[in-house]
Amino acid sequence: MDTAAATPLSFRDATEADVDALVALVESAYRGESSRAGWTTEADILDGQRTDPEGVRDIVTSPDSRLLTVEREGRIVACCQLEHRGEHAYFGMFAVSPGEQGAGLGKAVLAEAERQARDTWGATEMHMTVISVREDLIAWYERRGYRRTGRTTPFPYGDERFGIPRRADLAFELLVKPLV
């Protein structure tokens, strides 16, 4: 039995003191060679950064957002953004440490995020956007009850805060799940 997976998780809201650790976590899950240890890597479609300290700090300090931070034995192993948007909540900046991926941690974090959005804000739906060419990731969300809407928004080409695209066909697709 994997003892790390059996160790309890603790969930809390991020503070400004967590910003650097959270940026490092997000970057490790999506960019560069370290991200290839997990399955969520975007290294084949994007170079550059996934986030930066200013972006994370903005989420942490926004009155309508929370950056749910997940720890195991005092170490940050996952995070996700929750933003209150009226009747629905937005789910973003989801990251699981590459070495922790594939053992159910992401599923547990997503379920807790959905529970908190429903119980704290009364949200009836969870919305998220996923890069439309990430078919494996979209399929993972579909297995958890999210549905593709077919509604897309353009990828912000030329804005390096979101990364440097390695292909010309990137867009964000809206996925939605009822929380009732």
Side-chain angles (χ1 to χ4, degrees):
M1 179 171 155
D2 181 0
T3 56
T7 306
L9 299 172
S10 62
F11 294 85
R12 64 176 176 81
D13 287 338
T15 67
E16 288 193 60
D18 297 316
V19 167
D20 290 340
L22 290 166
V23 169
L25 170 67
V26 172
E27 293 299 314
S28 74
Y30 291 98
R31 297 289 198 274
E33 286 307 308
S34 67
S35 70
R36 294 183 191 281
W39 69 274
T40 61
T41 185
E42 294 172 346
D44 293 328
I45 60 172
L46 291 161
D47 291 321
Q49 71 178 30
R50 179 63 151 54
T51 192
D52 55 36
E54 295 77 23
V56 172
R57 192 171 290 105
D58 287 348
I59 295 167
V60 169
T61 60
S62 171
D64 292 324
S65 285
R66 305 170 58 197
L67 193 52
L68 188 60
T69 302
V70 185
E71 293 179 322
R72 178 179 280 139
E73 297 181 332
R75 186 174 67 91
I76 296 174
V77 294
C79 69
C80 66
Q81 172 192 8
L82 291 171
E83 185 176 321
H84 187 207
R85 296 185 179 176
E87 291 188 9
H88 76 270
Y90 178 80
F91 178 83
M93 202 174 288
F94 185 27
V96 174
S97 177
E100 302 268 348
Q101 292 178 19
L105 177 57
K107 204 180 325 182
V109 173
L110 182 60
E112 178 63 13
E114 292 168 353
R115 185 195 69 74
Q116 289 196 23
R118 185 180 50 249
D119 294 353
T120 303
W121 295 322
T124 58
E125 283 186 333
M126 185 77 86
H127 291 198
M128 71 173 71
T129 55
V130 179
I131 297 174
S132 59
V133 299
R134 298 289 319 275
E135 293 293 337
D136 54 342
L137 184 58
I138 291 170
W140 187 87
Y141 286 120
E142 287 178 313
R143 289 190 301 274
R144 276 138 200 92
Y146 287 81
R147 66 175 173 75
R148 297 180 89 156
T149 65
R151 292 184 289 184
T152 61
T153 53
F155 187 87
Y157 285 91
D159 188 343
E160 292 187 7
R161 291 176 303 156
F162 298 94
I164 303 166
R166 299 180 76 178
R167 45 193 293 178
D169 62 344
L170 302 182
F172 292 108
E173 183 172 353
L174 176 65
L175 305 182
V176 175
K177 178 181 180 179
L179 294 180
V180 290

